[in-house]
Amino acid sequence: MGATAAIGYPTTDELTLSTRSGRYQHFRQRDDSADTGSIYWSSATGSWPVTNGIRTRWLALNGADSWLGLPLSYEEEVTGGVSTTFENGYIRWNRHSRTTVEHKPDDRTPHLRTDLMGDVDGDGRSDLITAYNYEEGTASLHTFTSNEQGGFAQPRQAWVSAQGNFYYTHARYASGDFNGDGRDDVVALYGYSDGTIAALTFISEGDGTFKHWVKTAELPSGWEWDRTKLVAGDFNGDKRSDIAVIYDYGDGVTGTHTLLVKADGTFNAPVASWKSDAGDWYSSSVTYSAGDANGDGRDDIIAYYGYGSGEVALFTLPATVTGGFTAPVKSWNAAPGIWNSAAIKFTTGDYNGDGREDAAFIYDYGDGVTGAHTFAAKPDGGFNAPAASWKASTGDWYSSSTGTPVSGDTNNDGHADIAMMYNYAIGASRAYTLLSQPDGTFPGPRGSWYAAPGTW
C-alpha cells in the first residue's frame, strides 16, 4: 500500500482489522492536519480507497464494522457529486450542498425530484426537466433533451443554487415559454422563511441550461405557501405563458389568481377571478393542470377532483380574455367504487392533435398492473368518457414506482406524449415515453435514458 497522489502519504503502517479478516492503512495530503484517505483490503473485496467526506461519514458509522461493510469501488461520478460503493450499500457526497448521505443498495429517492416538460432548446420537441433537491438548502435543475424517437438523452445540470440559498421543499415548479422566445422556461413559486411568497423565473439560455432566477411578483401578505397550487399556461392568448395560483382559503373556499407575464418573462401582480362559496371546492382534493381545452387560443385550468365519497370528476375552469377564470364546469364524473382516486396519476396534453387539451389518467389496478386512459376534449372544453389503451401485464409496471406523468410533444409529430420516470426496486431509474397515437391513445411505454442504482 504505497503512497499515491490521490490520497497523499501514509501515516500508519498496515494495520489489521479487529473484527474481520483484512488490512488497512491511513493517508494524508502534505498540507493537511488530519488523515483524509485510507485504503482497505480483504481477500473477499480486494483493495479500495476511501477518501474525504465519504470516508468521514463511513468512519462515523463505524467504518468496516458498520452495516455498509468494506469499500468495493473508487469514488465514481454521480449526479451532483461522487459516490463510493460498499458491500451493503453506498455513500454519496454532493459537491454543491456538501452533504454526505449513506444508502442501502435499493434506496429510491423520487421524493427528491419534481419532473416537468418543456422545449428548452426550441427544436420543436418537448424535453424533460427535473428539479432536484440536493438538500441543505441547495437545489438544481436538470434537462433531458428529447430525440426524434421521443426518448431522452443523459441529463445535464442546467442550473444549481449556492449552498443554503434555495430550499427545494419551499418551491412549487411549472414550465412555460414566459418571454415568448420559443423556448420553455421554469418558474418556482417560492415560500420564504419570513412568509413572503414570490414567483422566481428561470429563463432558458437555449442550450438546455437556465439563467439564475429573477424574483418578480409577490403573492398577498398573509397567504400560506402550503395552501397554494401552481399551473402555467397562456391564459390571455398573447403567446406567452402566464401562471395561475389556486389558493385554498379554508372551509371549502378556493380562488384563482392570475399573474400575467411581462415581455421579459417576469410577472405582474396577481389578479383574482373565480372564488368558490364556502364548502363548494376543497382544493386539497384536486389536482390541477392547464391547457386549451376548448381550442379558443387561451389555456384553461383543468381539474381532476377526487371526492371523499369516492366519486371522481373532471372540471374545466375556462379562461377569459383578461386571463382570469370562470367557475368550474363539470363534464365527466364516475360514481363511488368505479375508480380509486388514490390510484390515479393525472396529466393533460393534446394527445390526438386536434388543437384541444385532453386529459389522461395513469391508473394503478394493483399487482403491478398499470394502464392509460385518455379523456378527449370536446369543443366546449369538457371531456368525453375515457378511452383505455395501454395496460401492463401483472407484475410488469408498478404505479407506486412511477413518478408524476408529464405531457409534451417529445417527437414533434403534432401530438402530445406522456413521459414518466420509473424508479426500480433495485434503486435504478429509467425514463419512459408513452407515444400517442392519432386517436389520442397510447401503446406500451418505450424506455430510453437509464441510471444505475445510486447514480441519479
Side-chain angles (χ1 to χ4, degrees), residues 40-302:
Y40 281 76
W41 171 89
S42 78
S43 59
T45 62
S47 178
W48 299 101
V50 189
T51 60
N52 302 315
I54 291 176
R55 175 183 181 272
T56 300
R57 182 59 184 164
W58 180 61
L59 292 177
L61 294 169
N62 210 21
D65 294 328
S66 71
W67 62 269
L68 283 160
L70 290 170
L72 292 177
S73 75
Y74 295 105
E75 286 187 354
E76 299 170 326
E77 282 290 322
V78 296
T79 301
V82 294
S83 176
T84 295
T85 301
F86 296 83
E87 291 175 286
N88 301 305
Y90 59 95
I91 297 178
R92 286 179 65 159
W93 173 79
N94 189 288
R95 64 172 55 90
H96 305 286
S97 63
R98 321 300 290 184
T99 54
T100 310
V101 182
E102 65 278 3
H103 295 273
K104 294 181 179 179
D106 58 354
D107 274 1
R108 291 183 281 183
T109 57
H111 63 284
L112 298 177
R113 297 180 288 274
T114 298
D115 294 324
L116 309 168
M117 187 73 89
D119 181 5
V120 299
D121 51 13
D123 66 357
R125 299 191 298 265
S126 295
D127 310 300
L128 193 60
I129 308 166
T130 298
Y132 202 121
N133 184 6
Y134 282 165
E135 303 181 286
E136 294 297 322
T138 311
S140 63
L141 295 172
H142 296 257
T143 54
F144 303 71
T145 54
S146 59
N147 57 39
E148 294 179 352
Q149 292 73 45
F152 298 99
Q154 184 84 9
R156 175 182 185 179
Q157 184 171 277
W159 168 85
V160 63
S161 74
Q163 183 185 18
N165 282 5
F166 195 100
Y167 287 82
Y168 167 93
T169 55
H170 291 196
R172 306 192 192 286
Y173 305 89
S175 59
D177 183 4
F178 301 122
N179 60 359
D181 66 356
R183 301 187 295 261
D184 283 330
D185 316 298
V186 171
V187 64
L189 188 68
Y190 195 84
Y192 289 87
S193 57
D194 65 358
T196 301
I197 305 171
L200 312 180
T201 308
F202 301 79
I203 295 295
S204 172
E205 294 274 26
D207 60 357
T209 65
F210 299 96
K211 295 179 180 178
H212 188 68
W213 54 263
V214 176
K215 181 180 178 182
T216 59
E218 296 184 3
L219 299 187
S221 177
W223 276 23
E224 299 176 30
W225 179 85
D226 59 3
R227 291 179 175 269
T228 65
K229 294 188 177 181
L230 174 69
V231 293
D234 179 9
F235 302 127
N236 61 357
D238 68 354
K239 310 304 181 184
R240 297 192 302 267
S241 296
D242 313 296
I243 59 174
V245 177
I246 301 96
Y247 191 73
D248 180 0
Y249 291 93
D251 298 323
V253 180
T254 298
T256 56
H257 304 261
T258 306
L259 287 75
L260 293 175
V261 76
K262 302 176 184 178
D264 62 358
T266 62
F267 297 95
N268 289 288
V271 177
S273 51
W274 166 75
K275 188 175 184 181
S276 74
D277 293 329
D280 279 357
W281 191 272
Y282 290 87
S283 192
S284 59
S285 298
V286 185
T287 303
Y288 301 96
S289 186
D292 185 1
N294 57 8
D296 66 355
R298 298 188 298 270
D299 287 336
D300 313 297
I301 294 177
I302 302 166

Side-chain angles (χ1 to χ4, degrees), residues 397 420-424 428-432 446-451:
W397 190 282
M420 299 180 288
M421 196 69 75
Y422 195 86
N423 305 289
Y424 291 92
S429 300
R430 187 182 290 278
Y432 282 91
R446 299 184 182 183
S448 53
W449 169 79
Y450 175 82

Side-chain angles (χ1 to χ4, degrees), residues 115 345-348 360-362 402-407 418-421:
D115 294 324
K345 296 180 186 289
F346 172 66
T347 184
T348 66
F361 286 174
I362 304 299
T402 308
T404 301
V406 290
S407 296
I418 296 176
M420 299 180 288
M421 196 69 75

Side-chain angles (χ1 to χ4, degrees), residues 335-395:
I338 298 176
W339 297 80
N340 175 7
S341 62
I344 294 171
K345 296 180 186 289
F346 172 66
T347 184
T348 66
D350 181 9
Y351 306 123
N352 58 10
D354 66 356
R356 298 191 297 267
E357 191 88 351
D358 311 304
F361 286 174
I362 304 299
Y363 191 73
D364 181 4
Y365 291 93
D367 297 323
V369 180
T370 299
H373 301 262
T374 307
F375 301 76
K378 302 176 182 179
D380 64 359
F383 296 94
N384 288 292
S389 51
W390 164 68
K391 188 175 182 180
S393 300
T394 301

